[in-house]
Amino acid sequence: MAFSPDFLTVRVDLPRGADAVTTLDYTHFTVLLDASRRLARVAGVNVDGTALVDLERGDDWRLDDRVPAEAQTGPAVYANNGFDRGHLVRRRDPVWGVDAKQANSDTFHYTNAAPQASEFNQSAELWLGLENHVLDFASVERLRLSVFTAPVLSPDDPPYRGIRVPLRFWKIIAWVAGDDLASAAFVLDQSPLVPDAEKRRAITDEPELGPFRTFEVAVQQVASLTGLVMPELIAADHLPETVAAEPWRRLRSFSDIVL
């Protein structure tokens, strides 16, 4: 089964936009592929924390034969450079239940990847651990999450080997607290690591550029950045209004996260 909007006890749909996308269903997750950018506009996964299975990682990256190769960012973009194939849906997240082995394999489709500077992908423990932090912190209904992740596909992203390399990534985590849907949103900026110096840009007025920077933001900020429609997630934003008034909250550790 692919991503289900009814996985939580409160319905939450995949964010969608006006741009044409191809819907690709995998085991426990779904990717909305923007063929013009050759990257995902949205990837949504259901995570059942009570049924996760520990499997070997593997590394069988492959194109999805349901769509033309030229609509995907394939191996040529990642060859002999500083870019990693960064999972959008984390490999571990859909690997649960009786279909865990297939889910593990499905995450290695190029449609579930985006170019990430190697320092970002290999050292961003804060970004990679956000779901676990929310899962541990929140009173989550049956330890379940729905997680949405994608690059911010901006027309200003620097061109490279027939694509445009995204400079930012976003993630929204949704869970049920009591009887109500709750959500939290984050943005990661990899622009300091992208080689084209003219396209490096900060998203705040802060002069310091770190190797990667993670921000907690209002869900509405993600909707504005991406042009995606996500009314349930915006309404469920768990960020207090007093904190959300600060557009970009720089995170340096999990203790900085406000839930």
Side-chain angles (χ1 to χ4, degrees), residues 15-17 19 41 151-155 168 170 172 185-187 201 217-231 233-234 237 244 247-248:
R16 289 186 178 270
D19 297 333
R41 188 159 288 277
V152 176
L153 302 182
S154 167
R168 306 176 195 167
W170 61 270
I172 298 175
F186 305 88
V187 172
R201 51 193 172 137
V217 301
V219 176
Q220 179 61 58
Q221 289 279 344
V222 174
S224 298
L225 276 175
T226 61
L228 295 170
V229 177
M230 50 185 82
L233 294 168
I234 292 172
D237 196 343
W248 301 89

Side-chain angles (χ1 to χ4, degrees), residues 5-6 14 27 49 59 66 132 143 171 191 200 207 233 242 255:
D6 298 312
L14 273 171
T27 307
D59 200 34
R66 294 174 293 179
N132 287 340
L143 297 177
K171 185 187 300 289
S191 60
R200 295 179 184 176
L233 294 168
T242 53
S255 63

Side-chain angles (χ1 to χ4, degrees), residues 37 101 144 155 157 198 237:
R37 285 293 303 262
K101 186 175 181 179
R144 288 188 165 199
D157 291 335
E198 293 182 358
D237 196 343

Side-chain angles (χ1 to χ4, degrees), residues 78 92 189 219 233 248 252 258:
Y78 301 97
R92 179 174 177 266
D189 173 32
V219 176
L233 294 168
W248 301 89
R252 292 174 173 82
V258 176

Side-chain angles (χ1 to χ4, degrees), residues 52-72:
L52 289 171
V53 177
D54 188 16
L55 295 177
E56 291 186 9
R57 172 187 167 86
D59 200 34
D60 182 23
W61 285 99
R62 59 201 183 277
L63 297 171
D64 190 318
D65 59 14
R66 294 174 293 179
V67 293
E70 58 269 22
Q72 306 174 57

Side-chain angles (χ1 to χ4, degrees), residues 11-47:
R11 183 180 176 91
V12 56
D13 291 301
L14 273 171
R16 289 186 178 270
D19 297 333
V21 294
T22 301
T23 301
L24 298 171
D25 289 334
Y26 300 100
T27 307
H28 302 151
F29 70 98
T30 294
V31 170
L32 303 185
L33 180 69
D34 184 327
S36 65
R37 285 293 303 262
R38 300 168 59 189
L39 293 166
R41 188 159 288 277
V42 179
V45 60
N46 301 132
V47 185

Side-chain angles (χ1 to χ4, degrees), residues 123-141:
S123 65
E125 290 88 356
L126 180 60
W127 178 253
L128 296 177
L130 287 173
E131 289 104 310
N132 287 340
H133 178 78
V134 174
L135 191 68
D136 291 341
F137 179 89
S139 175
V140 181
E141 181 75 6

